[in-house]
Structures are given as structure tokens and as C-alpha cells.
Amino acid sequence: HSFQILFPLLNNNGVYICEDTHTSYWANFGGALRGDTFIEFAKKLVDELHYQHIDQGAEELSPQFRNLIKGIHFYDSMVVFEKRKTGWSIWSMRGEEEDNRK
């Protein structure tokens, strides 16, 4: 996906918008429900967004975008990603401070 190349290059606090995501469900575009599509890729990134709260199974996640995503918003035919300001710490729900630069 172009997302994998371009999102890391986006300025801190920038926004990446992917439109026409409804085609992820259209067979004539190679799409399908639960198929290998951008929508399914984006859904997996929700787990990365919440990785610090996962008690079991976090080792299965790929940390490529873990510290870059501030928010993901799904709209009809569009997914919007907000890039976080890098290098700042977050406080997990478990009360452990984690450094996003890892």
C-alpha cells in the first residue's frame, strides 16, 4: 500500500486520508468482505493504536506504525489517519509510563 511508504513521511500531527475505500468490497476491484484489502489493513492498525492496553497476544502485532498513529477514523468510503507527534510519552491504563520512541 502507498500508506506504508507515505504515512511515515507525513509531518507530525499531519492527516492522511484514503478515499474510495468502498471498493475494498467490490469483487471487480479485487475486494471482498474480510479479504486482503486496505480496509482490513486499516482495521488491523486499530490494534496497533491500542497495543499498550493488550494483555495477551500483543507479540503477534507488527510495530511498524505503533508509535506513529494518533487516531484512525472510519467514514463511508474513507479512512482518516492522524499522525502523532513522535517522541512523547503516553500513560497506559495500567499506570505504566511507556516511551513511544521504542
Side-chain angles (χ1 to χ4, degrees):
H1 303 116
S2 60
F3 177 88
Q4 294 168 303
I5 296 168
L6 298 176
F7 189 74
L9 301 175
L10 189 65
N11 288 335
N12 290 340
N13 297 317
V15 176
Y16 184 98
I17 300 172
C18 185
E19 62 180 350
D20 296 335
T21 56
H22 60 276
T23 59
S24 290
Y25 302 100
W26 292 0
N28 58 338
F29 280 81
L33 182 63
R34 310 281 186 269
D36 184 21
T37 64
F38 183 79
I39 284 290
E40 292 303 319
F41 172 77
K43 289 183 200 178
K44 290 176 184 174
L45 290 179
V46 172
D47 292 333
E48 289 298 330
L49 181 64
H50 296 109
Y51 81 96
Q52 73 272 16
H53 306 295
I54 298 173
D55 285 333
Q56 296 177 2
E59 65 278 355
E60 297 174 23
L61 300 176
S62 171
Q64 182 179 4
F65 301 104
R66 177 173 295 168
N67 299 320
L68 299 178
I69 297 174
K70 178 180 180 183
I72 305 171
H73 309 274
F74 290 85
Y75 300 95
D76 183 12
S77 303
M78 188 180 309
V79 182
V80 178
F81 297 87
E82 293 177 272
K83 187 173 179 188
R84 80 171 64 236
K85 182 177 178 183
T86 56
W88 62 290
S89 295
I90 58 172
W91 189 262
S92 78
M93 296 295 288
R94 291 184 235 156
E96 302 165 3
E97 188 172 349
E98 297 194 22
D99 187 344
N100 279 337
R101 292 172 284 187
K102 293 179 185 176

